[in-house]
Amino acid sequence: MAPFKHDDQHPGLAKIRGPLRLTWAGMWAESLVRALWPVLTVVLLVLAALMLGLQDVVSLDVVYGAAAVVFAASVAALIYAFRSFYMPTRAEALARLDASLPGRPIQALMDDQAIGAGDAASMAVWQAHQKRMADRAATARAVPADLRVSRRDPYALRYVALLLFAVALVFGSVLRVGSVAGMVPGGGGLASGPVWEGWAEPPRYTGKPTLYLADLEEGPLSLPKGTLITVRLYGEVGALEVVETVSGQGQSADADPALVLDFKVNQSGGISIDGPGGRSWDVAMLPDAVPKVEIAGEPQVAALGEMSLPFAASDDYGVEAGEARISLDLALVDRRYGLGIEPDARPDLSVPLPMPIAGGRTSFEENLIEDFSKHPWANLPVKISLSVLDASEQQFTTAPSDMILPGRRFFDPLAAAVIEQRRDLLWSKANAPRLVQLLKAVSYRPQDVFRTETSALRLRRQIDRLDIRAKYGLTDDLQAEIADDLWDLAIELEEGVLADALERMRRAQERLAEAMKNGASKEEIAELMDELRRATEEYMQQLQRQQAEDGEQQQGQQGETMQMTQDDLQRMMDRIQELMEQGRMAEAEQALRELQEMMENMRVTEGQPGQGGDSPGEQAMEGLADTLREQQELSDQAFRDLQDQFNRNESPDQPGQQEGQQPQQGQQPGEGQEPGQGQDSIAERQQELRNELNRQEGRLPGKGSAEGEAARDALDRAGRAMDDAEQALRQNELADAIDDQARAMEALRDGMRALGDAIAQEQQQQAGQGSAEGNQRAEQRDPLGRDQSSNGGESTQGDLALDNDAYGRARELLDEIRRRSGETARPEVERDYLNRLLDRF
């Protein structure tokens, strides 16, 4: 390629002078950046270090060493720059610009016509070519410079230096660069005299900013306690002196070059810098107050034992943390029975206090919510104290307050007895022999006190474990494990695992009555009342299914049963709860007994047509109920076999039942036999029950609905549990079989609940919420199911209208009530009830 000529030698290049100059300048920038980037990196690093004042916080030797390193780096950077730098020429810029255009038009403009110069046609073609190249060259644009040096700086040192320099610009000061002059021998002439710098940095938790003392005028100065004062002195030795009385040490020092003084504000006083340009301040210390905390009210206890203790805390700068410490008040403990012996050593309870998640902590109110029901000190007298801590580690602790440590209360007598023995076990391991005797006495006749034989078996297991460990030693882990098992047993006895809705409702009524007698709290009574509502609703649903099965068979017996609606029941239970909230417990107990009597003798009226006959869902429900009852019978039989097996192992010398002797009265067939013996063994019956469950599952309605699928899943779990129970029975593992049967029964109950929801949803879709006429009739009936007229009297369109002697029978009823109320042999409660009826009517 021929060398480019100067652009003024060719008129076609005049239009590209601007792009050419810019391209040439970019090439100079490339050469400078690629050669000088090490020099720039060193310069930026040195400036960043000097502006941040690093030379003032290190020793002079370190400064000299760093200066030597910087000098060596600078020499190396200059050598690299000298070897890497080159001066780009104008021809190189013109060639780069030409290379950016298609067809290299600038080169074409520089060319001369080699042949045909005398031919007119050839000259015309050449001129046309030159014009076309000139037009294309006129479109040239400056070529951007390539300033990338990543290949030469693979570790990005230039960016590190740039970042540090930016930080120094924000947080540093250019004035600090001049402090290097004082470190250089003979270089002190650059400074006009001794200088100083100072900062007052309050503690971070105060949220106050750092003050630059050189910007503050002399006079009063308020600083928080613990503020760090930093003073740096430069210049002539002895020219400056710092005197302070705020640290409590009376610190004073002569000025030395680059001397740094640090002290904290611990009291009010003064700070003065004596010498040229010195200042003084009268410092008033802002004290850091001690945090405060107090109990804001009485602890609230939920129905299940959860405690909510309100408290209020405050601090001038905010509370950092807090805790509640609970210790047993042994002097107030009723030291009787299992609590008579000395308790095992147990550390105090320490519970962290909740702090606000949002908002400030200078003043707030919170609630300490904890459940201490499982702790051995539950429902015993304790002392509680609250303590809080602020950021300066100042602590405040309240005086101990007396209280009864809240915990769950058990209203079932058997459950309460188990919980009491569990508490005694945790009180001291020495109570283990006594616990064994008491629990054996409680479970001596399990059929009289336990509702299910499974619960009796669970208690018997714990008795055996305690009996053995009481003789050979009870470890801490085993003590805690047995306590957890006793807790689970008490929960089962308290809440029950009843399948029958009527028994569940009776159980809820008994627990509520027991709670009213024992003076339960409002929260406990409210929880038990909700449980009664749920149990009553389940009983109503079961009774409705039974009535649908009976059809019209009870139509002739309506005079012998009471009729109630769901609204009537709701009103009666609301009345009971209202009486309890008002403290009228005697009237509430009487109303509860009346409700129980009416529930056991009532016949529900729904006001919905089409309730006769059995739907497929109701048939499936009845089949599952039968399966559940049969499974319960098998579980009871397995328990009796296990109990006989245990009795034989416990008393091997006791003669058993003679061969060929008939079972005693009340003994179930199969008692005393080993599982698996005979064609009617428990394992075979379990297998037959499993086959029956498969058949029922195949006819289960509600396909496609969420409730129907949930019922099928529950029955699948029940089937798997039955299979495990059958296998355990065939292997004579009765304890495992009972556990598997319990899982099967629980799964069956889940399936029945899901199936009931599916049936209810299907009925709502078919019949809606009932006809308006039926609803109106239900609303116009009194709690005994009698129709009422609009003025509150009895309607003439009811059962009473069919009897012309209704008033005569009413007089006979009142006479009978008066006669029974006068019989002194009747119970006092019944006579009070009869007297209240006479007062009302």
Side-chain angles (χ1 to χ4, degrees):
M1 179 185 300
F4 286 99
K5 299 178 182 179
H6 199 271
D7 57 349
D8 57 4
Q9 297 177 2
H10 197 290
L13 300 179
K15 297 181 179 180
I16 63 171
R17 290 176 182 174
L20 178 60
R21 291 172 181 172
L22 292 176
T23 302
W24 194 13
M27 295 178 67
W28 272 92
E30 290 180 10
S31 181
L32 290 173
V33 169
R34 293 175 182 178
L36 298 179
W37 73 265
V39 177
L40 294 175
T41 299
V42 173
V43 171
L44 292 178
L45 287 175
V46 172
L47 288 177
L50 295 178
M51 293 172 63
L52 290 173
L54 298 182
Q55 72 278 8
D56 299 332
V57 298
V58 297
S59 63
L60 196 59
D61 294 336
V62 175
V63 174
Y64 289 156
V69 173
V70 170
F71 178 77
S74 300
V75 172
L78 290 174
I79 294 174
Y80 178 84
F82 179 78
R83 298 180 58 181
S84 300
F85 179 74
Y86 75 96
M87 293 185 294
T89 63
R90 188 181 186 87
E92 292 175 347
L94 193 59
R96 175 178 289 190
L97 184 61
D98 189 27
S100 66
L101 298 173
R104 293 189 176 268
I106 299 177
Q107 179 67 42
L109 291 175
M110 296 295 183
D111 293 340
D112 296 329
Q113 186 177 2
I115 59 174
D119 186 7
S122 177
M123 286 297 295
V125 172
W126 175 255
Q127 292 175 0
H129 171 69
Q130 288 288 305
K131 184 179 182 302
R132 188 164 54 250
M133 291 298 103
D135 294 340
R136 186 176 297 178
T139 62
R141 297 291 183 268
V143 180
D146 185 7
L147 302 180
R148 293 175 296 179
V149 291
S150 56
R151 293 183 179 179
R152 294 174 173 81
D153 183 19
Y155 299 105
L157 297 178
R158 63 195 186 281
Y159 292 133
V160 174
L162 182 61
L163 176 61
L164 293 177
F165 183 71
V167 173
L169 288 176
V170 176
F171 299 101
S173 173
V174 180
L175 299 177
R176 294 178 180 175
V177 179
S179 64
V180 181
M183 304 178 186
V184 180
L190 297 176
S192 60
V195 294
W196 62 271
E197 287 184 303
W199 296 266
E201 183 180 358
R204 183 174 301 176
Y205 62 83
T206 62
K208 297 183 178 298
T210 299
L211 302 177
Y212 188 56
L213 297 180
D215 294 338
L216 300 180
E217 299 293 336
E218 292 185 338
L221 178 62
S222 298
L223 296 176
K225 181 181 180 181
T227 299
L228 177 63
I229 305 296
T230 303
V231 180
R232 293 192 178 101
L233 306 175
Y234 316 103
E236 183 181 355
V237 176
L240 294 174
E241 183 181 1
V242 178
V243 179
E244 57 86 11
T245 58
V246 294
S247 65
Q249 301 176 358
Q251 186 174 359
S252 176
D254 294 334
D256 290 331
L259 182 64
V260 179
L261 300 179
D262 294 327
F263 52 89
K264 288 187 176 182
V265 177
N266 296 321
Q267 62 185 14
S268 298
I271 300 176
S272 63
I273 302 175
D274 299 334
R279 298 179 187 178
S280 63
W281 300 272
D282 295 329
V283 179
M285 186 192 71
L286 302 177
D288 186 0
V290 178
K292 299 293 183 180
V293 65
E294 62 179 356
I295 298 177
E298 295 295 328
Q300 303 296 322
V301 185
L304 298 181
E306 186 179 63
M307 179 195 74
S308 177
L309 179 66
F311 68 93
S314 62
D315 185 66
D316 48 0
Y317 295 116
V319 178
E320 287 294 316
E323 70 172 6
R325 185 169 294 274
I326 302 174
S327 59
L328 180 67
D329 192 354
L330 199 59
L332 297 181
V333 175
D334 188 5
R335 303 295 297 277
R336 294 186 299 170
Y337 310 118
L339 306 181
I341 63 177
E342 288 298 318
D344 294 339
R346 189 176 296 275
D348 292 346
L349 276 172
S350 180
V351 183
L353 295 178
M355 295 289 114
I357 299 177
R361 296 186 179 183
T362 56
S363 179
F364 63 91
E365 293 184 0
E366 281 287 346
N367 290 286
L368 173 61
I369 300 176
E370 287 290 337
D371 190 355
F372 299 105
S373 299
K374 290 187 177 182
H375 197 273
W377 297 346
N379 298 313
L380 290 180
V382 296
K383 291 184 178 295
I384 181 172
S385 60
L386 306 183
S387 62
V388 289
L389 186 75
D390 64 4
S392 61
E393 297 186 355
Q394 296 184 106
Q395 186 174 358
F396 175 80
T397 303
T398 62
S401 300
D402 296 332
M403 64 176 293
I404 301 297
L405 186 63
R408 176 168 180 171
R409 299 177 61 187
F410 290 79
F411 301 102
D412 181 85
L414 182 57
V418 172
I419 286 297
E420 181 180 353
Q421 302 311 309
R422 174 186 178 273
R423 180 204 62 190
D424 295 346
L425 175 63
L426 294 175
W427 179 268
S428 175
K429 297 176 184 176
N431 278 328
R434 177 178 177 274
L435 260 67
V436 172
Q437 296 177 356
L438 290 175
L439 293 178
K440 282 185 176 180
V442 170
S443 60
Y444 176 69
R445 296 179 61 86
Q447 65 275 10
D448 295 338
V449 293
F450 289 93
R451 293 179 176 82
T452 63
E453 297 181 351
T454 305
S455 301
L457 175 62
R458 292 182 61 181
L459 181 59
R460 192 59 178 266
R461 284 182 178 177
Q462 304 308 321
I463 294 175
D464 296 339
R465 297 174 66 186
L466 270 176
D467 196 6
I468 295 175
R469 293 296 180 176
K471 299 176 182 178
Y472 300 101
L474 187 64
T475 63
D476 294 339
D477 294 340
L478 187 60
Q479 180 190 31
E481 182 180 350
I482 294 177
D484 291 340
D485 292 339
L486 291 177
W487 175 270
D488 295 338
L489 176 61
I491 293 296
E492 178 180 317
L493 295 173
E494 178 76 7
E495 298 179 353
V497 291
L498 304 176
D500 186 79
L502 178 58
E503 289 299 325
R504 187 183 298 273
M505 184 187 65
R506 290 173 178 171
R507 176 75 183 130
Q509 293 171 345
E510 292 173 1
R511 291 184 62 194
L512 182 58
E514 193 70 21
M516 289 189 290
K517 292 179 182 178
N518 295 336
S521 63
K522 294 182 179 180
E523 291 78 7
E524 293 171 330
I525 291 179
E527 179 68 21
L528 294 175
M529 197 69 200
D530 292 339
E531 180 182 352
L532 176 60
R533 294 178 192 274
R534 292 191 298 268
T536 303
E537 183 178 356
E538 293 179 4
Y539 174 64
M540 296 281 285
Q541 294 176 356
Q542 179 179 347
L543 192 59
Q544 291 173 9
R545 290 193 297 269
Q546 181 179 357
Q547 292 176 359
E549 179 181 0
D550 295 342
E552 300 296 332
Q553 296 178 3
Q554 297 179 352
Q555 293 296 327
Q557 302 176 358
Q558 293 183 1
E560 300 175 3
T561 59
M562 301 180 183
Q563 295 183 353
M564 299 181 68
T565 65
Q566 295 270 0
D567 294 336
D568 296 333
L569 289 175
Q570 185 67 31
R571 284 193 294 268
M572 293 188 68
M573 286 188 285
D574 290 342
R575 177 59 178 168
I576 295 174
Q577 186 170 2
E578 181 182 354
L579 292 174
M580 289 188 296
E581 292 175 353
Q582 295 175 357
R584 301 158 63 181
M585 292 301 177
E587 299 181 33
E589 291 180 18
Q590 180 62 34
L592 183 62
R593 284 194 295 270
E594 295 175 3
L595 174 64
Q596 184 175 2
E597 294 175 359
M598 298 176 69
M599 287 294 297
E600 293 182 359
N601 296 280
M602 78 173 184
R603 183 177 187 274
V604 180
T605 60
E606 294 184 310
Q608 297 182 1
Q611 294 296 329
D614 290 346
S615 65
E618 294 170 347
Q619 293 177 0
M621 184 68 73
E622 293 298 329
L624 291 178
D626 295 338
T627 302
L628 181 60
R629 283 192 293 270
E630 293 179 10
Q631 183 62 76
Q632 183 67 54
E633 293 175 0
L634 289 179
S635 179
D636 294 342
Q637 181 63 52
F639 172 77
R640 286 191 291 268
D641 289 346
L642 182 62
Q643 193 175 34
D644 294 341
Q645 194 177 75
F646 177 81
N647 292 333
R648 287 196 300 270
N649 295 334
E650 189 178 51
S651 303
D653 299 334
Q654 183 177 355
Q657 186 178 4
Q658 299 296 329
E659 182 179 0
Q661 182 178 356
Q662 296 296 329
Q664 298 178 1
Q665 184 178 1
Q667 185 179 11
Q668 298 293 335
E671 290 189 11
Q673 299 179 3
E674 295 296 332
Q677 292 184 355
Q679 297 179 354
D680 195 22
S681 65
I682 305 179
E684 293 175 353
R685 293 169 58 191
Q686 185 69 69
Q687 182 181 5
E688 294 175 359
L689 190 61
R690 174 68 172 96
N691 297 335
E692 176 64 20
L693 181 63
N694 289 337
R695 185 184 63 83
Q696 294 174 356
E697 187 175 356
R699 298 186 304 175
L700 202 65
K703 292 183 179 180
S705 63
E707 293 80 3
E709 294 301 328
R712 286 180 172 81
D713 293 340
L715 296 187
D716 288 339
R717 297 198 309 270
R720 290 192 296 268
M722 288 182 180
D723 292 337
D724 296 339
E726 177 190 352
Q727 184 178 2
L729 288 171
R730 295 189 185 280
Q731 297 175 358
N732 199 19
E733 297 176 355
L734 296 179
D736 295 339
I738 292 175
D739 293 338
D740 295 332
Q741 290 171 340
R743 289 193 296 107
M745 288 186 288
E746 184 64 27
L748 284 173
R749 296 187 189 100
D750 293 340
M752 293 177 67
R753 282 192 289 267
L755 181 59
D757 295 338
I759 295 174
Q761 183 178 6
E762 182 179 358
Q763 290 178 351
Q764 289 178 2
Q765 293 176 354
Q766 293 178 356
Q769 298 297 327
S771 64
E773 180 182 358
N775 292 336
Q776 184 178 4
R777 287 199 304 268
E779 293 175 356
Q780 293 179 352
R781 290 178 176 173
D782 64 2
L784 295 179
R786 300 172 299 188
D787 291 339
Q788 293 181 333
S789 60
S790 59
N791 58 1
E794 295 181 355
S795 172
T796 58
Q797 298 178 357
D799 296 337
L800 295 178
L802 301 178
D803 191 353
N804 295 329
D805 196 18
Y807 294 100
R809 289 195 297 107
R811 287 192 299 271
E812 294 176 0
L813 180 59
L814 286 175
D815 293 339
E816 179 65 20
I817 292 176
R818 291 191 183 95
R819 184 186 65 80
R820 295 188 180 187
S821 63
E823 295 178 357
T824 58
R826 293 185 177 276
E828 187 67 23
V829 175
E830 182 181 356
R831 294 175 60 194
D832 292 341
Y833 172 59
L834 295 174
N835 290 329
R836 284 197 298 272
L837 290 178
L838 291 175
D839 294 339
R840 180 176 300 179
F841 299 105

